[in-house]
Amino acid sequence: MPLTIALPVFDAKLDAAGQFPLRAAEINTLQVNVGKRCNQACKHCHVEAGPNRTEEMARETAELVIDALRRCPQIATLDITGGAPELNPHFEYLVTEARALGRHVIDRCNLTILFVPGREHLAEFLAANRVEVVASLPYYLAQRTDAQRGLGVFDQSIEGLRLLNRLGYGQPGSGLALNLVYNPTGAFLPPAQAAIEAEYKAEMGRRYGIVFNNLFTITNMPIARFRHFLECSGNYGRYLDKLAAAFNPAAAVNVMCRSLVSVGWEGTLYDCDFNQMLEMPVEQSSPRHIKDFDLYLLSRRAIVTGEHCLGCTAGAGSSCGGVVA
Amino acid sequence: MADYYDENDLSRFAEIGKERPDLMEKFFAWYGATLEEGALTKREKALIGLAVAHAIQCPYCIDSFAQTCLETGGNTEQMTEAIHVASSVRGGAALIHGLQALRSVEKVSM
Ligand code: SF4
Ligand code: SF4
């Protein structure tokens, strides 16, 4: 009898869907995590970010990111994340250089950063550079948002959104994109994106007078702080079963790692920000540092997967831009 | 038997179809179809499910529909209102039977 080695759950599901091994496709986004420092310390944070973290991208590494963009015009988008990416002293350098190269820039903004002393000019800087703002707002009510992100975060986030609205963000015809992120405030899956987006639009307008463009629903990944919460609350097994049961082959085809490369604060290349936090770099035969960035080789790489990947393929799927199927 | 109710039974629900899988299949198809989006949204149906679960006091259904309410974007304010509807209808149903009691009393009273 031939010896058969069982594939891990995620790979077995990919295999059954004819998608194993998962391979990259055309890369159109460079997602750069510029550091783990954050003015918040959210309970679900997969970066385990917080005010006491010291990891941050150095200027030389930021320059290598810009070099890679310059060499690869096919990469249309620079997606900057953290921590609170705006706390990195080279954030504005990255934005202005990438914009000068004609690239679309996304700032994954926690909104409260707009009021941190020394960052008062930030909102205007983002608007002047026509940066797309993707902002977390796990629910349109204070209680559930604060339970995840910290007491008082909701009220300040609303103020942040009002400030962005005043600058034109989210307003029809302004070209300044303001997208919100819904993520479940516990061990459950997100609702249908279109339905909750319509509800957010109505509630955010009615309750707070706020407008925005799109709502992205993102599934919580069973890693880092959220995994810790799952384990402590006795939900880990049940949550993983839920993700596995909701595996959607159509989502697997469109997982975001196929179209992006993720760069860590020290320049290491990863398949996504989640693999980055699990310290799982891109496969060994690919370039593994931004200084060696090679679009041709990276767009042919096999993706390094783990059980956490089930978070990207449950239901309508999940990515930094919301559902994928 | 340590407990009459075991939360793990929820995920083993299908096992009850061991003897008559044909009937179980029909049940699951029907059950699933009733909860699909239609004239009512999935959330509205989940809230109805939650309300009924409380009226019939089924801990499995309460657990399951509470999760479905969250997963359709619902919140505890909406869930609480649905539970109050179930409770007030139950309460009303008990109360209106009071008329039967009064009639019964009338029947034998001078
Ligand atoms: S989730 Fe975002 S805002 Fe919250 S701690 Fe993590 S990086 Fe900071
Ligand atoms: S966790 Fe990362 S590697 Fe896994 S499927 Fe999601 S994006 Fe791809």
Side-chain angles (χ1 to χ4, degrees):
Chain A
M1 201 168 125
L3 183 68
T4 53
I5 299 171
L7 288 169
V9 177
F10 180 71
D11 290 345
K13 289 199 175 277
L14 277 183
D15 200 26
Q19 289 292 318
F20 181 79
L22 195 60
R23 298 202 86 86
E26 198 178 310
I27 294 165
N28 53 36
T29 300
L30 202 57
Q31 190 176 62
V32 180
N33 191 314
V34 293
K36 300 189 179 181
R37 200 146 63 91
C38 187
N39 56 315
Q40 294 181 194
C42 306
K43 274 191 199 152
H44 71 305
C45 183
H46 73 271
V47 180
E48 301 192 75
N52 300 326
R53 298 302 297 254
T54 53
E55 301 90 332
E56 80 182 4
M57 183 173 278
R59 174 68 177 221
E60 304 75 67
T61 315
E63 285 172 6
L64 291 171
V65 168
I66 297 300
D67 280 351
L69 285 181
R70 193 175 290 118
R71 276 186 281 122
C72 308
Q74 304 92 321
I75 300 179
T77 301
L78 175 67
D79 182 340
I80 311 178
T81 187
E86 306 89 345
L87 286 177
N88 183 300
H90 314 298
F91 172 77
E92 292 182 21
Y93 162 79
L94 279 170
V95 171
T96 45
E97 291 297 313
R99 291 297 293 140
L101 291 171
R103 306 310 159 85
H104 180 66
V105 176
I106 298 173
D107 174 29
R108 297 202 174 264
C109 178
N110 68 13
L111 296 171
T112 60
I113 193 71
L114 300 173
F115 303 104
V116 166
R119 297 292 183 288
E120 293 85 355
H121 67 293
L122 191 58
E124 279 173 18
F125 169 82
L126 294 170
N129 285 280
R130 309 197 75 71
V131 174
E132 173 185 341
V133 172
V134 177
S136 300
L137 195 74
Y139 204 62
Y140 57 76
L141 298 176
Q143 189 269 333
R144 270 169 66 188
T145 297
D146 285 359
Q148 181 182 78
R149 299 179 73 77
L151 208 60
V153 167
F154 183 80
D155 287 347
Q156 215 173 29
S157 300
I158 294 298
E159 283 317 306
L161 290 170
R162 287 192 175 125
L163 170 61
L164 292 170
N165 275 177
R166 281 198 297 278
L167 291 167
Y169 269 104
Q171 307 284 3
S174 73
L176 290 172
L178 173 59
N179 296 318
L180 301 185
V181 172
Y182 165 99
N183 66 284
T185 49
F188 55 94
L189 299 183
Q193 184 170 281
I196 194 76
E197 179 184 272
E199 185 170 347
Y200 258 60
K201 287 207 165 162
E203 296 293 334
M204 294 297 287
R206 184 173 72 84
R207 292 171 189 258
Y208 317 111
I210 286 168
V211 291
F212 65 95
N213 297 102
N214 300 299
L215 180 75
F216 303 147
T217 56
I218 298 189
T219 303
N220 288 321
M221 299 299 276
I223 62 172
R225 269 189 208 143
F226 186 66
R227 176 173 179 153
H228 185 67
F229 155 76
L230 289 173
E231 286 172 345
C232 289
S233 60
N235 279 300
Y236 185 72
R238 186 164 151 167
Y239 188 70
L240 244 66
D241 288 348
K242 202 184 258 279
L243 294 179
F247 178 84
N248 177 359
V253 175
N254 294 326
V255 282
M256 64 180 171
C257 46
R258 302 193 67 205
S259 58
L260 67 73
V261 173
S262 155
V263 188
W265 64 275
E266 29 30 333
T268 305
L269 302 182
Y270 302 88
D271 293 304
C272 69
D273 206 50
F274 306 119
N275 284 10
Q276 186 176 141
M277 298 315 143
L278 293 168
E279 296 179 9
M280 294 163 53
V282 289
E283 62 163 355
Q284 227 155 11
S285 57
S286 286
R288 286 184 137 184
H289 194 276
I290 188 70
K291 67 177 167 17
D292 306 315
F293 194 87
D294 182 322
L295 193 63
Y296 179 86
L297 293 176
L298 285 160
S299 54
R300 276 152 189 81
R301 76 193 194 278
I303 308 288
V304 180
T305 56
E307 299 306 62
H308 62 290
C309 296
L310 289 166
C312 291
T313 53
S318 176
S319 74
C320 290
V323 296
V324 296
Chain B
M1 190 182 266
D3 295 297
Y4 284 114
Y5 287 118
D6 178 348
E7 68 170 325
N8 294 318
D9 283 352
L10 197 53
S11 55
R12 295 178 48 202
F13 190 8
E15 289 176 30
I16 200 70
K18 212 164 79 190
E19 299 297 337
R20 287 295 304 270
D22 54 329
L23 293 180
M24 205 59 195
E25 217 170 280
K26 285 193 172 77
F27 169 77
F28 275 128
W30 176 60
Y31 188 94
T34 62
L35 294 172
E36 282 304 324
E37 185 112 12
L40 296 177
T41 64
K42 283 190 177 180
R43 163 113 48 95
E44 287 162 344
K45 291 185 175 189
L47 288 165
I48 293 171
L50 185 74
V52 175
H54 281 78
I56 60 174
Q57 292 176 330
C58 168
Y60 299 113
C61 302
I62 291 173
D63 192 7
S64 173
F65 279 106
Q67 301 299 316
T68 313
C69 285
L70 289 175
E71 292 187 342
T72 50
N75 58 50
T76 45
E77 196 181 334
Q78 295 162 347
M79 289 159 71
T80 306
E81 285 188 16
I83 293 163
H84 272 285
V85 172
S87 306
S88 62
V89 172
R90 267 197 85 139
L95 266 180
I96 194 154
H97 283 80
L99 295 179
Q100 297 212 355
L102 294 181
R103 252 201 313 277
S104 170
V105 171
E106 271 168 26
K107 208 163 67 185
V108 296
S109 297
M110 285 187 279

